[in-house]
Amino acid sequence: MTALCNDLTTLSRINSDFISRDRQMLIGGAWVDSSAGATFAVRDPSSGKELTRVQKASVQDVDAAVVAARKALEGKAWGEARPAERERLLLRLADLLEKHADDIAELESLDNGKPISQATGLDVPLSVNFVRYMAGFATKIHGRTFDVSVPYAPDTRFFAYTRREPVGVVGAIIPWNMPLLMAVWKLAPALAAGCTVILKPASDTPLTALRIGELVLEAGFPEGVVNVITGAGCEIGDAMVSHPGIDKIAFTGSTSVGKAIARSGVDTMKRISLELGGKSPVIVLDDADLAATIPGIILGIFANCGQVCSAGSRLYVQRGIYDCLMAALGEAAKSIKVGPGLDPATQMGPMVSAGQQRSVQAYIEAGVAEGAELVVGGGQLASEGFYVSPTIFANTDHSMSIVREEIFGPVLAVQCFDDEAEAVKLANDTPYGLASSIYSTNVNRIQRLTPAIKAGTVWVNCHNIFDAALPFGGYKESGIGREMGEEAVGLYSEIKSVCMAVG
Ligand code: NAP
Ligand code: MG
């Protein structure tokens, strides 16, 4: 078995320099070491080898970041900055991300393992677009006026209105699957709303968050407005959640950690928004256009190696087209070119970490043991690196762990259904409710199914399509709140009612 490792000699000069020394953290506008003097390794998922080291922050570093973020929030430079100034700074940040798009895409691919074509074609442009979209909201945050009645004060007139104010210091805790995009999903609306931020990237992928820290300084944001700290979630993430100096936690990650955050955050009555896991259903009706459906299913489950919270991991196919669809799907999955992220020909890279690879392999073994039919994949692909081959199971049912649990890997579980009612029942038989998709050419059937599916997103004849304007978030255990769209700004603001007696 051969190795499928990245060729690091082709890295851009800027990225070779970036990883050539231990990276520091951004606190209060300065690059600093951990107060504990500790660092940890960042690895290349295609080889498992160490790329560079980052600081392992201590709880004291969290305190320092909170002090810096609070000072910036209350200081003149940011606290009194006009909306147009916040907009200008965010637009400048978007321009810098765009200017460095190729280097940032390369760094993202190197750190996470994702194909460079995806980092270049999706992660970076979506991030740039999102920062620009949110920049515009800085100047469009508004309250309302009210004609109040106040029945017990009939002789007094009142002028009443609401103001939207920044929620304060935001702790943003993000995962490793889309590190750049997740960072800007938190940063941009928080900054548009006038908050200050402490950003903690996942330990498996801290590099692009640190690079954003550099661009934030270059853009001219006042010191302390954005702080980036690296370290273990169970230590500094936990310290952020219980810290009385942090007003809000914005979290994307697993449902289990999200639940723990919600429980612990209630002690300080923090504002909490959660984007959590999913087990999203894909329903293919027997009138679907298979030529368009197959690429949609493939993208839905194998993009980013299945490490997408909204991955279409449960496929329900109407009986009449089952055999035909499965034959085409199997061929399409076998033709996916798996390889190192930096190879431009790669369509699917390695998983992010050895731990994630082990976890997905264990699910594949469980699927076989539980009696599902392994149609494609399941095997080990390379002698080094964290690879898992694209895998499809048929003849699955809802008693199986591969159908019930979020795998977060390139594993698709397929089963048949007979009518629309059965499809809806199966689709909703999950504690999750993040996303879903329907493939059909019949608009009446689509419109019957759409309201019946309990999920924050319903894609029709596509899957994993995101846009800055479209709110994204979960029903049920997939989370609380909606990111993107104008809803996102609301996550970072408080509403103040003002009622003035007029003489
Ligand atoms: P995770 O273990 O929940 O980690 C996510 C983040 O939380 C990381 O930064 C992690 O830090 C930190 N963390 C871990 N334990 C913590 C604690 N006790 N207190 C505070 N922070 C803590 O999730 P993951 O395994 O990295 O990511 C995969 C999961 O994220 C999947 O379940 C997926 O569905 C979900 N996800 C959801 C969305 C969405 O939009 N809904 C998007 C992407 C991913 P360390 O890295 O240092 O442990
Ligand atoms: Mg984790």
Side-chain angles (χ1 to χ4, degrees), residues 174 176-177 200 203 233 251-254 275-277 309 406 408:
I174 59 171
W176 40 258
N177 60 337
K200 192 211 96 62
S203 296
F251 173 78
T252 297
S254 59
E275 294 288 349
L276 307 175
C309 47
E406 181 178 49
F408 225 58

Side-chain angles (χ1 to χ4, degrees), residues 19 28 93 141 146 192 194 199 234 260 279 283 360 374 385 475 498 500:
I19 62 168
L93 178 62
I141 293 169
F146 300 83
L199 173 66
C234 54
K279 189 74 186 175
I283 298 173
V360 174
L374 185 61
Y475 280 37
V498 184
M500 185 192 286

Side-chain angles (χ1 to χ4, degrees), residues 302 333-334 336-338 348 376-379 381 388-392 410-411:
F302 298 124
K334 278 186 216 150
I336 292 173
K337 182 159 182 347
V338 182
M348 196 178 98
V376 177
L381 264 171
V388 174
S389 50
T391 299
I392 299 177
V411 181

Side-chain angles (χ1 to χ4, degrees), residues 296-461:
I297 297 171
I298 293 283
L299 177 76
I301 184 60
F302 298 124
N304 211 33
C305 217
Q307 302 166 122
V308 181
C309 47
S310 55
S313 50
R314 294 184 289 140
L315 174 62
Y316 302 103
V317 185
Q318 198 157 15
R319 196 169 302 277
I321 55 165
Y322 182 83
D323 291 339
C324 176
L325 182 140
M326 287 306 284
L329 194 61
E331 287 312 307
K334 278 186 216 150
S335 74
I336 292 173
K337 182 159 182 347
V338 182
L342 294 182
D343 181 343
T346 291
Q347 294 172 315
M348 196 178 98
M351 316 265 347
V352 73
S353 64
Q356 194 63 16
Q357 181 195 34
R358 271 196 302 276
S359 159
V360 174
Q361 287 293 357
Y363 273 112
I364 293 173
E365 283 158 28
V368 172
E370 286 167 347
E373 178 195 339
L374 185 61
V375 179
V376 177
Q380 198 188 342
L381 264 171
S383 54
E384 290 173 42
F386 310 137
Y387 291 94
V388 174
S389 50
T391 299
I392 299 177
F393 281 106
N395 289 328
T396 65
D397 67 55
H398 281 218
S399 70
M400 297 176 179
S401 60
I402 56 166
V403 177
R404 300 212 65 82
E405 294 170 28
E406 181 178 49
I407 299 176
F408 225 58
V411 181
L412 180 66
V414 193
Q415 67 191 83
C416 259
F417 68 89
D418 287 305
D419 57 28
E420 287 170 32
E422 188 187 4
V424 169
K425 190 160 174 283
L426 290 167
N428 288 338
D429 180 24
T430 170
Y432 295 112
L434 191 56
S436 59
S437 56
I438 304 165
Y439 290 88
S440 170
T441 52
N442 182 326
V443 74
N444 294 320
R445 300 181 83 189
I446 292 165
Q447 289 300 334
R448 276 201 299 272
L449 288 182
T450 300
I453 294 173
K454 303 283 179 245
T457 294
V458 177
W459 285 296
V460 179
N461 294 324

Side-chain angles (χ1 to χ4, degrees), residues 3 31 47 92 137 165 203 213 217 257 270 284 338 348 401 421:
W31 291 99
S47 64
R92 176 96 180 103
F137 272 106
E165 299 181 350
S203 296
L217 294 186
V257 172
K270 279 193 176 47
V284 184
V338 182
M348 196 178 98
S401 60

